Amino acid sequence: MTAMAPGIVKSGESLQQIRWNILGQTYVPKQMTEECFSWHATLPPGTFVPPHIHPDQDEFLYILEGRFTFLLDGVEAIGEPGDLVKLPRGVPHGIFNKSESAIKTLFWVTPAAQLYDLFWALHNMGPEADPAEIVAVSAAHAIDFLPPQDSETTQ
């Protein structure tokens, strides 16, 4: 991995012009070093990231547009524009768009670990992807999904 150069990544630009389709959500990587990986995400209504754990990464979201519902260590919380969401390593969390509008947010994790490679592995699996395959691919990249609970199946 190369050192980060100073500069500005413009709004419509991404790292190497990459745009991932992650289960119906659009992820646009903005910067990556060994210490940090950041991406812009658009989550259409009804999409979500099921509860999972990053055993070796802290994750953050800065909400730009829309209203998130989070499950943070078993407790539901709401995040809105201007909020910073802190997701410490080892703490289970789920990210849900239960609204009728798209949500836009800036994510970052520290350290970068294997998340960039995981996004390539998940890219274009599609909304009908086999959940067992998603769980297995994610586990191989150090992201551990939790078993579904009744409240999560009633999105």
Side-chain angles (χ1 to χ4, degrees), residues 19-25 27 39 48-50 52 54 114-141 143 145:
R19 295 180 71 80
W20 290 304
N21 177 348
I22 308 293
L23 306 174
Q25 301 168 16
Y27 291 5
W39 67 100
F48 61 97
V49 181
H52 62 285
H54 298 250
Q114 300 179 58
L115 205 55
Y116 178 88
D117 294 331
L118 173 60
F119 289 165
W120 273 119
L122 295 175
H123 176 57
N124 281 334
M125 282 183 121
E128 303 302 320
D130 176 12
E133 183 180 0
I134 294 166
V135 168
V137 167
S138 298
H141 292 85
I143 301 296
F145 280 93

Side-chain angles (χ1 to χ4, degrees), residues 6 19 37 58 62 96 122 134 137 149 152-153:
R19 295 180 71 80
F37 170 44
D58 295 321
Y62 184 80
F96 305 87
L122 295 175
I134 294 166
V137 167
Q149 296 179 354
E152 294 156 19
T153 60

Side-chain angles (χ1 to χ4, degrees), residues 22-85:
I22 308 293
L23 306 174
Q25 301 168 16
T26 303
Y27 291 5
V28 179
K30 293 297 189 171
Q31 180 62 45
M32 189 170 87
T33 67
E34 280 187 41
E35 296 82 22
C36 187
F37 170 44
S38 67
W39 67 100
H40 179 276
T42 303
L43 287 78
T47 62
F48 61 97
V49 181
H52 62 285
I53 296 171
H54 298 250
D56 304 314
Q57 295 172 302
D58 295 321
E59 182 174 20
F60 302 88
L61 293 86
Y62 184 80
I63 302 170
L64 302 168
E65 295 178 18
R67 184 173 197 248
F68 275 111
T69 301
F70 294 94
L71 190 59
L72 306 174
D73 204 11
V75 177
E76 191 169 289
I78 301 298
E80 298 178 311
D83 291 347
L84 174 68
V85 181

